Amino acid sequence: MAAMAQEIGMFTVAHTVGSVLCCKCGILMQPNATNMCLKCLRTEVDITEGLQKRVEIAHCPDCDSYLQPPSTWIKAELESKKLLTFCLNNLNGLKRVRLVHAEFIWTEPHSKRIKVKLTVQKEVLNGAILEQACIVEYSVHEKMCDSCSRIQANPDQWECVVQLRQHVPHRRTFFYLEQLILKHDAAKHAIRIKQMKQGIDFFFKNHNHGDKFVDFLGKVALINVDKGKRLISHDTKSNKHVFKYSLSVEISPICREDLICLPPEVAVGLGNLGPLVICNKVSNNLALFDPFALRQSFLNKDQYWSSSFKALLSTKQLVEYIMLDVEAVSREVDVRGVKYVLADAQVARVSDFGKNDTIFNVRTHLGRILKAGDYALGYDLYGANINDIELDKYNGLVLPDLRSLDMEIDNAAEGGDNEYELFLRDLEENPGSVFNLSLEIQPSENMASGINGGDFCLTLADEFEDLLDLGDEEGHADIMKE
């Protein structure tokens, strides 16, 4: 009515709120149902009375789970939403009030104390609603769950082991898989996880859980699975057999941004792709890019494991170059959303400055983004030592001045201590790619290659995208424990 009166220009009287005196302290205040100020009301009524302020909870240190009475164990990380829900569910008296907000108060991880600040509301005298905050302290007592107790008594109480391996001199792939496993809780049924040389072993109480875990791995990585079982015992009276199952899972050694020489049969099957190609995405298939023809093809699991080729060179063998001159020689080509331009370029190794005047003439597919003066990373085939049987299958493919040494490979050699720091750096630069289950990461625009006469090399722009896709480097992982 007031709005209508204003529209037609009628005079209206402004509505005012009266004031009253608090019946306890006499302070001037706006009237409410109790005629008491907030300070006096809180002295008269404590809405958190009856709400439990100290709670004891049981925690299993081996599997990092908490006991939900009477016998359910819940895995939860510190200050996680799952742990906050668990704490609220174990709080008596919470149903008597209305919960408005709940949050953790930071405590030392070793203090065995978890503090939660609650903000609650409740209707008090004469229908007035009072809001109040309080702190609930949870005392954490160590207690092993039944499963961990059995394992401690007998470590061999497992029925299925998944042996995850990748035969490469780094552990970067396992860092990536670790994040996916943690995100999707794929190893929640594992009773034990043990880091091994070139891989990880996952132990399961039930072999069906092992099969489900392998199915998950097959959705995010290019794997080959060999199954086996061993008879443990046989009861002749009941004809009951007890087996232990082993699932040997091998991950493809091909990693993102690796340089590959395709076997002739594979190249023909992909429409005469390559044979020198770059892997620009790895998931449950391989995305292979021909930098000379600006073509991309995909290789599925069956196609790859029928030939099982390896990388010619990996990203750990990239060399830094400087672009001296770049001249485009083709129009712009769109390859699955990424644009490329072929260009002739002159490059020189940064390490050669002050030592020699060696210059390479190359053809790069990154003519769209590279310009004179840019620094780039590339595969140096001119000075590389390569042993690859696939190269010998191409009579017409000649790489100049390639030298090969007969050498023994030390399988025990591991990466440097700083490899996990490099993994964390890549994770910080592009955190979103770690948790993308479908691995829908666009092919890198930052790789370049070329051949001209007797000089050949591949160049990769120094601002290349993260190498987090099932690719490089070694370090430590939280789930890799014995």
Side-chain angles (χ1 to χ4, degrees), residues 176 256 423-435 441-442 464-469:
Y176 180 81
R256 187 169 180 251
F423 166 75
L424 294 179
R425 182 196 63 189
D426 294 334
L427 177 60
E428 181 179 0
E429 292 175 355
N430 194 348
S433 61
V434 176
F435 305 105
I441 297 179
Q442 294 296 332
F464 63 90
E465 299 175 356
D466 63 282
L467 302 177
L468 195 53
D469 283 44

Side-chain angles (χ1 to χ4, degrees), residues 300-329:
N300 62 32
K301 178 183 69 173
D302 296 333
Q303 291 173 316
Y304 173 77
W305 290 110
S306 63
S307 55
S308 300
F309 55 85
K310 297 182 179 180
L312 191 66
L313 294 172
S314 69
T315 53
K316 299 183 73 173
Q317 298 166 282
L318 289 169
V319 177
E320 187 177 13
Y321 292 86
I322 185 172
M323 312 301 295
L324 303 177
D325 185 36
V326 181
E327 182 179 354
V329 296

Side-chain angles (χ1 to χ4, degrees), residues 194-472:
K194 182 179 181 181
Q195 180 176 342
M196 305 293 291
K197 180 182 177 182
Q198 291 188 325
I200 313 173
D201 285 352
F202 296 83
F203 297 87
F204 296 91
K205 184 69 175 177
N206 191 307
H207 76 276
N208 291 329
H209 294 155
D211 291 336
K212 291 181 180 179
F213 181 68
V214 172
D215 291 340
F216 169 80
L217 295 176
K219 296 178 181 178
V220 299
L222 194 66
I223 63 173
N224 185 40
V225 183
D226 288 331
K227 298 183 178 182
K229 64 179 181 179
R230 177 166 57 95
L231 180 64
I232 302 300
S233 63
H234 175 211
D235 189 345
T236 56
K237 295 182 178 180
S238 62
N239 199 27
K240 182 179 180 180
H241 298 74
V242 177
F243 293 96
K244 283 196 173 182
Y245 300 83
S246 62
L247 303 177
S248 179
V249 181
E250 181 183 358
I251 303 175
S252 165
I254 303 298
C255 301
R256 187 169 180 251
E257 311 291 10
D258 282 356
L259 176 65
I260 302 167
C261 180
L262 293 176
E265 62 275 12
V266 176
V268 172
L270 296 176
N272 292 322
L273 188 74
L276 288 176
V277 296
I278 298 170
C279 177
N280 53 14
K281 189 177 73 170
V282 180
S283 58
N284 54 358
N285 56 34
L286 295 178
L288 304 176
F289 179 73
D290 186 341
F292 305 115
L294 302 184
R295 295 172 50 207
Q296 186 181 53
S297 293
F298 289 88
L299 202 65
N300 62 32
K301 178 183 69 173
D302 296 333
Q303 291 173 316
Y304 173 77
W305 290 110
S306 63
S307 55
S308 300
F309 55 85
K310 297 182 179 180
L312 191 66
L313 294 172
S314 69
T315 53
K316 299 183 73 173
Q317 298 166 282
L318 289 169
V319 177
E320 187 177 13
Y321 292 86
I322 185 172
M323 312 301 295
L324 303 177
D325 185 36
V326 181
E327 182 179 354
V329 296
S330 76
R331 61 181 179 83
E332 189 176 271
V333 178
D334 187 288
V335 180
R336 294 185 176 271
V338 182
K339 297 179 180 179
Y340 300 98
V341 173
L342 283 177
D344 288 332
Q346 284 189 336
V347 301
R349 299 189 194 98
V350 174
S351 60
D352 288 343
F353 283 172
K355 298 179 180 179
N356 57 61
D357 297 327
T358 304
I359 295 177
F360 299 94
N361 296 314
V362 302
R363 175 157 289 182
T364 172
H365 64 287
L366 288 184
R368 176 175 172 269
I369 63 174
L370 290 178
K371 59 183 182 299
D374 286 348
Y375 287 87
L377 296 175
Y379 291 112
D380 183 8
L381 297 185
Y382 179 80
N385 294 320
I386 297 177
N387 280 319
D388 195 291
I389 60 175
E390 303 302 338
L391 283 176
D392 299 334
K393 298 180 181 179
Y394 292 95
N395 296 327
L397 182 63
V398 179
L399 302 180
D401 298 332
L402 285 182
R403 301 184 296 276
S404 178
L405 296 177
D406 293 329
M407 61 182 71
E408 295 181 0
I409 304 299
D410 184 4
N411 293 326
E414 298 291 342
D417 295 336
N418 64 336
E419 291 187 338
Y420 186 61
E421 295 180 5
L422 296 176
F423 166 75
L424 294 179
R425 182 196 63 189
D426 294 334
L427 177 60
E428 181 179 0
E429 292 175 355
N430 194 348
S433 61
V434 176
F435 305 105
N436 192 345
L437 176 59
S438 61
L439 303 184
E440 291 297 335
I441 297 179
Q442 294 296 332
S444 174
E445 225 183 58
N446 308 309
M447 301 174 61
S449 60
I451 184 169
N452 189 346
D455 298 333
F456 173 86
C457 76
L458 291 171
T459 61
L460 174 66
D462 61 342
E463 63 266 24
F464 63 90
E465 299 175 356
D466 63 282
L467 302 177
L468 195 53
D469 283 44
L470 305 182
D472 272 356

Side-chain angles (χ1 to χ4, degrees), residues 38-50:
L38 183 60
K39 186 176 181 180
C40 294
L41 187 58
R42 286 177 175 171
T43 61
E44 292 289 328
V45 181
D46 182 12
I47 64 174
T48 64
E49 185 179 1

